[in-house]
Amino acid sequence: ELDHAQAMLPFEDLALNKILEWVKITQTGDFAELDFNFPEWGEICCNGDTCKGVECPYYGDDCFYYKHKRQAASADIVIVNHALFFADLALREMAVRDTLLPKYGAVIFDEAHHLEDVAIDSYGVELANYQVPKLLGRIKKRRDIAITAAELQYVDTLNASLFEIFNRFPKTEYFFEEVFEAEGRVRIEDKATELINSLDGLKTQLTEQDTEGNPEFKTRLEGYCNIIARIRSELYALFCIESSNEFRWAEKQSGTKFPFCCLHLTPTNISEVFKAGLWDVVDSVICTSATLSNSGTFCYIKNRLGADLVIEKEDDDDSENEPPPPPRPVAELILGSPFDFMTQSLLYVPDDLDPPSGSDDYADALADKMRDILHATNGRAFMLFTSYRMMHAVMERLADAVPFRLLMQGDMSNERLISEFREDPNACLMGVHSFWEGVDVKGERLSCVIIDKLPFSVPDTPTNKARCESIEARGGNWFTEYAIPQAQIRLKQGFGRLIRTKTDYGVVAILDSRIHTKRYGREFIKYLPRCKGTKTVSKIREFMAAFEPYDGLNFTIEMPEPDKK
């Protein structure tokens, strides 16, 4: 066992003996169990690049991965996350024999409103600037590979040169075409071709290494070659292939110790994938979510996931004059809530705010309104924002204006923020995206949810812009077909943070006057849970007082109503 481990890691690693001891006691082989740091995990773990499958001498009971696969194959129900499911589906479409999951005849998706985004990630291409250097570092550490440091450095330099062009672009997310226009398309594609050629050369050098009598070394080199082949194919797809249903874009992070840049090739529409891989072949697919419908129907989600596409005729069907078959039947059901929102909740939507903007005056007005609400509810609030910029702007204005502890996303881990909020009765939590759903705080510790504005997605991000342009290209209206349904789903998620049990109570405040002034505003309110509504803060105080009469322990700070303009 020690000899085998040292063959995998022919360089000194002080934690190797710890790994060997851990292997003797672990029941899962899961990295998450480790209570010590082991940077070389990539050299010993099971992955698609290095796994030999049935050819591996440890394929039997010694392999944790295949032991889990056999357990899954014998189970009646297998529970996985969305990402693993679609990674498996992609392998099935490539006719890979060794799939990740066993055969199944039915699928149940919870939180199905996330399916499109997860599937797109699984079927797209992502290549980050660290992937080539990470591989080169693994090769460089080995004393048994006859490739000079200078040769490895040449590949590293070409990779850095290509990503530097994208990394210095002034935006954080942008289309390839924008970079091509600024830097020259031919110049960038030539650099990508140079990198592809250098990777081909590196792969050739690895295959020419002397592995006679050393099967472990040979297996390791084959794994490195597989990684190179994958990176090469991703580069080729990113720079050498044009597709009408995909768009190419890049993202970067600034202000970090190590610059991060990632290149993406993303499908614009994933509906055909769902049709071919699920709706047409799986006996039963059930999609559930508290926020799956919008405007009282499932039209939006069915369209995005291809559930409304017709079943294609068989190849031997020569009845050309017959009408096309109808879409596969879809059973739909919208269930009511078990909660009494008319009694348990109050919806506050002011009509005295200007439409949302990025101005300082608007941030002042928004912060003032939030201050009044917090005083009326005695804090205990989630304050949900649609942007980090506005969250920080409001934080600056409220820090010394309210007698509550303000916890802000980014100051500590999300788990720690939730824990602090639950434990401190004087705390309010300010957050963005990840706090709009999946956070469960029961009881009077959360008695108010404040939403800064209707959660429309930023229209100029590459993903949203590509989807909107695709809708417009087929004659649709991107705002009504995409922007509004997305925002409705997001708003319902935010609203749902408040009432989690039959004894919860509180106020949801949506600080967006467009609900009153825009025609689409009614659609947002119409399909939220039915509850009482108000435009004044005084009604919030009255509502809260009905649940929290003065008993000498808790109290509400009375604040005068602001003068209306």
Side-chain angles (χ1 to χ4, degrees), residues 80-107:
V80 299
N81 61 25
H82 291 171
L84 179 59
F85 179 86
F86 285 107
D88 173 80
L89 193 64
L91 291 177
R92 292 173 188 270
E93 293 198 3
M94 293 186 291
V96 175
R97 183 178 62 181
D98 191 14
T99 56
L100 301 173
L101 301 176
K103 291 182 178 180
Y104 47 82
V107 181

PDB file of all heavy atoms in Angstrom, residues 80-107:
ATOM      1  N   VAL A  80     -29.501  12.686  -5.705  1.00  0.00           N
ATOM      2  CA  VAL A  80     -28.311  13.401  -6.170  1.00  0.00           C
ATOM      3  C   VAL A  80     -28.675  14.869  -6.349  1.00  0.00           C
ATOM      4  O   VAL A  80     -29.852  15.240  -6.377  1.00  0.00           O
ATOM      5  CB  VAL A  80     -27.779  12.838  -7.514  1.00  0.00           C
ATOM      6  CG1 VAL A  80     -27.384  11.384  -7.368  1.00  0.00           C
ATOM      7  CG2 VAL A  80     -28.816  12.995  -8.619  1.00  0.00           C
ATOM      8  N   ASN A  81     -27.656  15.723  -6.489  1.00  0.00           N
ATOM      9  CA  ASN A  81     -27.942  17.120  -6.783  1.00  0.00           C
ATOM     10  C   ASN A  81     -28.109  17.309  -8.291  1.00  0.00           C
ATOM     11  O   ASN A  81     -27.815  16.424  -9.094  1.00  0.00           O
ATOM     12  CB  ASN A  81     -26.864  18.046  -6.202  1.00  0.00           C
ATOM     13  CG  ASN A  81     -25.486  17.766  -6.774  1.00  0.00           C
ATOM     14  OD1 ASN A  81     -25.340  17.251  -7.881  1.00  0.00           O
ATOM     15  ND2 ASN A  81     -24.453  18.108  -6.007  1.00  0.00           N
ATOM     16  N   HIS A  82     -28.581  18.485  -8.674  1.00  0.00           N
ATOM     17  CA  HIS A  82     -28.847  18.752 -10.087  1.00  0.00           C
ATOM     18  C   HIS A  82     -27.585  18.634 -10.935  1.00  0.00           C
ATOM     19  O   HIS A  82     -27.624  18.115 -12.057  1.00  0.00           O
ATOM     20  CB  HIS A  82     -29.430  20.167 -10.248  1.00  0.00           C
ATOM     21  CG  HIS A  82     -30.809  20.311  -9.686  1.00  0.00           C
ATOM     22  ND1 HIS A  82     -31.442  21.528  -9.566  1.00  0.00           N
ATOM     23  CD2 HIS A  82     -31.685  19.391  -9.204  1.00  0.00           C
ATOM     24  CE1 HIS A  82     -32.645  21.350  -9.048  1.00  0.00           C
ATOM     25  NE2 HIS A  82     -32.811  20.074  -8.812  1.00  0.00           N
ATOM     26  N   ALA A  83     -26.474  19.143 -10.413  1.00  0.00           N
ATOM     27  CA  ALA A  83     -25.237  19.168 -11.198  1.00  0.00           C
ATOM     28  C   ALA A  83     -24.784  17.759 -11.560  1.00  0.00           C
ATOM     29  O   ALA A  83     -24.387  17.491 -12.706  1.00  0.00           O
ATOM     30  CB  ALA A  83     -24.138  19.907 -10.425  1.00  0.00           C
ATOM     31  N   LEU A  84     -24.834  16.836 -10.598  1.00  0.00           N
ATOM     32  CA  LEU A  84     -24.423  15.465 -10.870  1.00  0.00           C
ATOM     33  C   LEU A  84     -25.373  14.809 -11.868  1.00  0.00           C
ATOM     34  O   LEU A  84     -24.941  14.075 -12.765  1.00  0.00           O
ATOM     35  CB  LEU A  84     -24.383  14.655  -9.569  1.00  0.00           C
ATOM     36  CG  LEU A  84     -23.989  13.178  -9.705  1.00  0.00           C
ATOM     37  CD1 LEU A  84     -22.609  13.048 -10.332  1.00  0.00           C
ATOM     38  CD2 LEU A  84     -24.030  12.478  -8.347  1.00  0.00           C
ATOM     39  N   PHE A  85     -26.662  15.082 -11.749  1.00  0.00           N
ATOM     40  CA  PHE A  85     -27.622  14.482 -12.672  1.00  0.00           C
ATOM     41  C   PHE A  85     -27.329  14.900 -14.106  1.00  0.00           C
ATOM     42  O   PHE A  85     -27.314  14.070 -15.018  1.00  0.00           O
ATOM     43  CB  PHE A  85     -29.052  14.874 -12.288  1.00  0.00           C
ATOM     44  CG  PHE A  85     -30.084  14.299 -13.221  1.00  0.00           C
ATOM     45  CD1 PHE A  85     -30.593  13.031 -13.013  1.00  0.00           C
ATOM     46  CD2 PHE A  85     -30.510  15.007 -14.334  1.00  0.00           C
ATOM     47  CE1 PHE A  85     -31.523  12.476 -13.880  1.00  0.00           C
ATOM     48  CE2 PHE A  85     -31.440  14.473 -15.210  1.00  0.00           C
ATOM     49  CZ  PHE A  85     -31.953  13.202 -14.986  1.00  0.00           C
ATOM     50  N   PHE A  86     -27.094  16.193 -14.335  1.00  0.00           N
ATOM     51  CA  PHE A  86     -26.880  16.651 -15.704  1.00  0.00           C
ATOM     52  C   PHE A  86     -25.496  16.301 -16.222  1.00  0.00           C
ATOM     53  O   PHE A  86     -25.301  16.158 -17.434  1.00  0.00           O
ATOM     54  CB  PHE A  86     -27.167  18.153 -15.808  1.00  0.00           C
ATOM     55  CG  PHE A  86     -28.629  18.459 -15.780  1.00  0.00           C
ATOM     56  CD1 PHE A  86     -29.220  19.024 -14.670  1.00  0.00           C
ATOM     57  CD2 PHE A  86     -29.428  18.145 -16.858  1.00  0.00           C
ATOM     58  CE1 PHE A  86     -30.578  19.283 -14.638  1.00  0.00           C
ATOM     59  CE2 PHE A  86     -30.785  18.396 -16.843  1.00  0.00           C
ATOM     60  CZ  PHE A  86     -31.367  18.960 -15.728  1.00  0.00           C
ATOM     61  N   ALA A  87     -24.530  16.154 -15.320  1.00  0.00           N
ATOM     62  CA  ALA A  87     -23.231  15.639 -15.759  1.00  0.00           C
ATOM     63  C   ALA A  87     -23.395  14.213 -16.273  1.00  0.00           C
ATOM     64  O   ALA A  87     -22.815  13.830 -17.299  1.00  0.00           O
ATOM     65  CB  ALA A  87     -22.234  15.679 -14.594  1.00  0.00           C
ATOM     66  N   ASP A  88     -24.209  13.422 -15.585  1.00  0.00           N
ATOM     67  CA  ASP A  88     -24.497  12.060 -16.039  1.00  0.00           C
ATOM     68  C   ASP A  88     -25.268  12.077 -17.353  1.00  0.00           C
ATOM     69  O   ASP A  88     -24.981  11.289 -18.263  1.00  0.00           O
ATOM     70  CB  ASP A  88     -25.306  11.338 -14.963  1.00  0.00           C
ATOM     71  CG  ASP A  88     -25.792   9.978 -15.420  1.00  0.00           C
ATOM     72  OD1 ASP A  88     -24.988   9.028 -15.378  1.00  0.00           O
ATOM     73  OD2 ASP A  88     -26.964   9.862 -15.833  1.00  0.00           O
ATOM     74  N   LEU A  89     -26.243  12.983 -17.484  1.00  0.00           N
ATOM     75  CA  LEU A  89     -27.040  13.049 -18.709  1.00  0.00           C
ATOM     76  C   LEU A  89     -26.165  13.391 -19.910  1.00  0.00           C
ATOM     77  O   LEU A  89     -26.346  12.848 -21.007  1.00  0.00           O
ATOM     78  CB  LEU A  89     -28.153  14.087 -18.548  1.00  0.00           C
ATOM     79  CG  LEU A  89     -29.261  14.057 -19.600  1.00  0.00           C
ATOM     80  CD1 LEU A  89     -30.025  12.746 -19.538  1.00  0.00           C
ATOM     81  CD2 LEU A  89     -30.204  15.245 -19.397  1.00  0.00           C
ATOM     82  N   ALA A  90     -25.192  14.289 -19.698  1.00  0.00           N
ATOM     83  CA  ALA A  90     -24.278  14.639 -20.786  1.00  0.00           C
ATOM     84  C   ALA A  90     -23.456  13.429 -21.222  1.00  0.00           C
ATOM     85  O   ALA A  90     -23.212  13.217 -22.413  1.00  0.00           O
ATOM     86  CB  ALA A  90     -23.361  15.784 -20.343  1.00  0.00           C
ATOM     87  N   LEU A  91     -23.019  12.605 -20.273  1.00  0.00           N
ATOM     88  CA  LEU A  91     -22.267  11.395 -20.608  1.00  0.00           C
ATOM     89  C   LEU A  91     -23.136  10.418 -21.395  1.00  0.00           C
ATOM     90  O   LEU A  91     -22.673   9.772 -22.340  1.00  0.00           O
ATOM     91  CB  LEU A  91     -21.757  10.725 -19.333  1.00  0.00           C
ATOM     92  CG  LEU A  91     -20.663  11.460 -18.559  1.00  0.00           C
ATOM     93  CD1 LEU A  91     -20.329  10.699 -17.279  1.00  0.00           C
ATOM     94  CD2 LEU A  91     -19.410  11.625 -19.407  1.00  0.00           C
ATOM     95  N   ARG A  92     -24.408  10.297 -21.020  1.00  0.00           N
ATOM     96  CA  ARG A  92     -25.315   9.387 -21.727  1.00  0.00           C
ATOM     97  C   ARG A  92     -25.498   9.821 -23.171  1.00  0.00           C
ATOM     98  O   ARG A  92     -25.575   8.985 -24.081  1.00  0.00           O
ATOM     99  CB  ARG A  92     -26.667   9.330 -21.015  1.00  0.00           C
ATOM    100  CG  ARG A  92     -26.621   8.662 -19.657  1.00  0.00           C
ATOM    101  CD  ARG A  92     -27.950   8.782 -18.912  1.00  0.00           C
ATOM    102  NE  ARG A  92     -27.801   8.304 -17.545  1.00  0.00           N
ATOM    103  CZ  ARG A  92     -27.989   7.048 -17.159  1.00  0.00           C
ATOM    104  NH1 ARG A  92     -28.363   6.150 -18.063  1.00  0.00           N
ATOM    105  NH2 ARG A  92     -27.814   6.696 -15.906  1.00  0.00           N
ATOM    106  N   GLU A  93     -25.581  11.134 -23.397  1.00  0.00           N
ATOM    107  CA  GLU A  93     -25.760  11.618 -24.759  1.00  0.00           C
ATOM    108  C   GLU A  93     -24.510  11.394 -25.604  1.00  0.00           C
ATOM    109  O   GLU A  93     -24.588  11.325 -26.831  1.00  0.00           O
ATOM    110  CB  GLU A  93     -26.144  13.095 -24.746  1.00  0.00           C
ATOM    111  CG  GLU A  93     -27.517  13.334 -24.141  1.00  0.00           C
ATOM    112  CD  GLU A  93     -28.091  14.676 -24.497  1.00  0.00           C
ATOM    113  OE1 GLU A  93     -27.451  15.421 -25.270  1.00  0.00           O
ATOM    114  OE2 GLU A  93     -29.183  14.995 -24.006  1.00  0.00           O
ATOM    115  N   MET A  94     -23.347  11.273 -24.954  1.00  0.00           N
ATOM    116  CA  MET A  94     -22.114  10.963 -25.675  1.00  0.00           C
ATOM    117  C   MET A  94     -21.897   9.453 -25.800  1.00  0.00           C
ATOM    118  O   MET A  94     -20.856   9.021 -26.268  1.00  0.00           O
ATOM    119  CB  MET A  94     -20.912  11.602 -24.966  1.00  0.00           C
ATOM    120  CG  MET A  94     -20.900  13.120 -25.015  1.00  0.00           C
ATOM    121  SD  MET A  94     -19.376  13.846 -24.321  1.00  0.00           S
ATOM    122  CE  MET A  94     -19.574  13.459 -22.584  1.00  0.00           C
ATOM    123  N   ALA A  95     -22.908   8.677 -25.353  1.00  0.00           N
ATOM    124  CA  ALA A  95     -22.864   7.208 -25.424  1.00  0.00           C
ATOM    125  C   ALA A  95     -21.684   6.644 -24.643  1.00  0.00           C
ATOM    126  O   ALA A  95     -21.090   5.631 -25.025  1.00  0.00           O
ATOM    127  CB  ALA A  95     -22.826   6.742 -26.869  1.00  0.00           C
ATOM    128  N   VAL A  96     -21.324   7.302 -23.525  1.00  0.00           N
ATOM    129  CA  VAL A  96     -20.264   6.778 -22.662  1.00  0.00           C
ATOM    130  C   VAL A  96     -20.806   5.588 -21.884  1.00  0.00           C
ATOM    131  O   VAL A  96     -21.890   5.651 -21.294  1.00  0.00           O
ATOM    132  CB  VAL A  96     -19.767   7.875 -21.697  1.00  0.00           C
ATOM    133  CG1 VAL A  96     -18.756   7.301 -20.716  1.00  0.00           C
ATOM    134  CG2 VAL A  96     -19.139   9.011 -22.484  1.00  0.00           C
ATOM    135  N   ARG A  97     -20.074   4.497 -21.874  1.00  0.00           N
ATOM    136  CA  ARG A  97     -20.558   3.273 -21.238  1.00  0.00           C
ATOM    137  C   ARG A  97     -20.604   3.406 -19.732  1.00  0.00           C
ATOM    138  O   ARG A  97     -21.571   2.978 -19.084  1.00  0.00           O
ATOM    139  CB  ARG A  97     -19.657   2.094 -21.643  1.00  0.00           C
ATOM    140  CG  ARG A  97     -20.138   0.758 -21.085  1.00  0.00           C
ATOM    141  CD  ARG A  97     -19.232  -0.369 -21.563  1.00  0.00           C
ATOM    142  NE  ARG A  97     -17.860  -0.195 -21.102  1.00  0.00           N
ATOM    143  CZ  ARG A  97     -16.866  -1.021 -21.397  1.00  0.00           C
ATOM    144  NH1 ARG A  97     -17.085  -2.051 -22.186  1.00  0.00           N
ATOM    145  NH2 ARG A  97     -15.642  -0.786 -20.935  1.00  0.00           N
ATOM    146  N   ASP A  98     -19.576   3.986 -19.147  1.00  0.00           N
ATOM    147  CA  ASP A  98     -19.481   4.060 -17.691  1.00  0.00           C
ATOM    148  C   ASP A  98     -20.093   5.371 -17.209  1.00  0.00           C
ATOM    149  O   ASP A  98     -19.395   6.349 -16.969  1.00  0.00           O
ATOM    150  CB  ASP A  98     -18.018   3.949 -17.255  1.00  0.00           C
ATOM    151  CG  ASP A  98     -17.894   3.749 -15.752  1.00  0.00           C
ATOM    152  OD1 ASP A  98     -18.914   3.440 -15.108  1.00  0.00           O
ATOM    153  OD2 ASP A  98     -16.778   3.910 -15.228  1.00  0.00           O
ATOM    154  N   THR A  99     -21.398   5.431 -17.075  1.00  0.00           N
ATOM    155  CA  THR A  99     -22.083   6.652 -16.630  1.00  0.00           C
ATOM    156  C   THR A  99     -21.962   6.799 -15.118  1.00  0.00           C
ATOM    157  O   THR A  99     -21.531   5.877 -14.404  1.00  0.00           O
ATOM    158  CB  THR A  99     -23.555   6.617 -17.038  1.00  0.00           C
ATOM    159  OG1 THR A  99     -24.159   5.432 -16.508  1.00  0.00           O
ATOM    160  CG2 THR A  99     -23.686   6.615 -18.550  1.00  0.00           C
ATOM    161  N   LEU A 100     -22.365   7.951 -14.628  1.00  0.00           N
ATOM    162  CA  LEU A 100     -22.243   8.236 -13.200  1.00  0.00           C
ATOM    163  C   LEU A 100     -23.374   7.621 -12.394  1.00  0.00           C
ATOM    164  O   LEU A 100     -23.177   7.232 -11.239  1.00  0.00           O
ATOM    165  CB  LEU A 100     -22.232   9.752 -12.970  1.00  0.00           C
ATOM    166  CG  LEU A 100     -21.104  10.523 -13.664  1.00  0.00           C
ATOM    167  CD1 LEU A 100     -21.309  12.025 -13.503  1.00  0.00           C
ATOM    168  CD2 LEU A 100     -19.758  10.109 -13.106  1.00  0.00           C
ATOM    169  N   LEU A 101     -24.559   7.529 -12.984  1.00  0.00           N
ATOM    170  CA  LEU A 101     -25.738   7.054 -12.267  1.00  0.00           C
ATOM    171  C   LEU A 101     -26.259   5.768 -12.893  1.00  0.00           C
ATOM    172  O   LEU A 101     -26.048   5.534 -14.084  1.00  0.00           O
ATOM    173  CB  LEU A 101     -26.843   8.120 -12.287  1.00  0.00           C
ATOM    174  CG  LEU A 101     -26.501   9.481 -11.683  1.00  0.00           C
ATOM    175  CD1 LEU A 101     -27.664  10.436 -11.861  1.00  0.00           C
ATOM    176  CD2 LEU A 101     -26.148   9.339 -10.209  1.00  0.00           C
ATOM    177  N   PRO A 102     -26.966   4.962 -12.119  1.00  0.00           N
ATOM    178  CA  PRO A 102     -27.572   3.753 -12.694  1.00  0.00           C
ATOM    179  C   PRO A 102     -28.772   4.128 -13.579  1.00  0.00           C
ATOM    180  O   PRO A 102     -29.211   5.271 -13.609  1.00  0.00           O
ATOM    181  CB  PRO A 102     -28.030   2.977 -11.457  1.00  0.00           C
ATOM    182  CG  PRO A 102     -28.242   4.019 -10.406  1.00  0.00           C
ATOM    183  CD  PRO A 102     -27.197   5.071 -10.658  1.00  0.00           C
ATOM    184  N   LYS A 103     -29.306   3.148 -14.289  1.00  0.00           N
ATOM    185  CA  LYS A 103     -30.482   3.401 -15.117  1.00  0.00           C
ATOM    186  C   LYS A 103     -31.667   3.791 -14.244  1.00  0.00           C
ATOM    187  O   LYS A 103     -31.798   3.347 -13.107  1.00  0.00           O
ATOM    188  CB  LYS A 103     -30.832   2.145 -15.927  1.00  0.00           C
ATOM    189  CG  LYS A 103     -29.818   1.796 -17.013  1.00  0.00           C
ATOM    190  CD  LYS A 103     -30.267   0.569 -17.791  1.00  0.00           C
ATOM    191  CE  LYS A 103     -29.272   0.237 -18.907  1.00  0.00           C
ATOM    192  NZ  LYS A 103     -29.701  -0.965 -19.688  1.00  0.00           N
ATOM    193  N   TYR A 104     -32.529   4.633 -14.795  1.00  0.00           N
ATOM    194  CA  TYR A 104     -33.694   5.073 -14.029  1.00  0.00           C
ATOM    195  C   TYR A 104     -34.895   5.196 -14.968  1.00  0.00           C
ATOM    196  O   TYR A 104     -34.761   5.418 -16.170  1.00  0.00           O
ATOM    197  CB  TYR A 104     -33.422   6.419 -13.351  1.00  0.00           C
ATOM    198  CG  TYR A 104     -32.794   7.456 -14.243  1.00  0.00           C
ATOM    199  CD1 TYR A 104     -33.563   8.228 -15.116  1.00  0.00           C
ATOM    200  CD2 TYR A 104     -31.417   7.688 -14.224  1.00  0.00           C
ATOM    201  CE1 TYR A 104     -32.985   9.173 -15.940  1.00  0.00           C
ATOM    202  CE2 TYR A 104     -30.824   8.632 -15.043  1.00  0.00           C
ATOM    203  CZ  TYR A 104     -31.616   9.375 -15.892  1.00  0.00           C
ATOM    204  OH  TYR A 104     -31.043  10.317 -16.714  1.00  0.00           O
ATOM    205  N   GLY A 105     -36.088   5.031 -14.399  1.00  0.00           N
ATOM    206  CA  GLY A 105     -37.307   5.146 -15.183  1.00  0.00           C
ATOM    207  C   GLY A 105     -38.142   6.336 -14.798  1.00  0.00           C
ATOM    208  O   GLY A 105     -39.129   6.667 -15.466  1.00  0.00           O
ATOM    209  N   ALA A 106     -37.772   6.995 -13.711  1.00  0.00           N
ATOM    210  CA  ALA A 106     -38.495   8.183 -13.261  1.00  0.00           C
ATOM    211  C   ALA A 106     -37.515   9.149 -12.603  1.00  0.00           C
ATOM    212  O   ALA A 106     -36.519   8.731 -12.000  1.00  0.00           O
ATOM    213  CB  ALA A 106     -39.600   7.797 -12.277  1.00  0.00           C
ATOM    214  N   VAL A 107     -37.794  10.439 -12.739  1.00  0.00           N
ATOM    215  CA  VAL A 107     -36.948  11.472 -12.152  1.00  0.00           C
ATOM    216  C   VAL A 107     -37.850  12.482 -11.452  1.00  0.00           C
ATOM    217  O   VAL A 107     -38.873  12.908 -12.005  1.00  0.00           O
ATOM    218  CB  VAL A 107     -36.105  12.205 -13.216  1.00  0.00           C
ATOM    219  CG1 VAL A 107     -35.211  13.253 -12.550  1.00  0.00           C
ATOM    220  CG2 VAL A 107     -35.266  11.223 -14.006  1.00  0.00           C
TER     221      VAL A 107
END
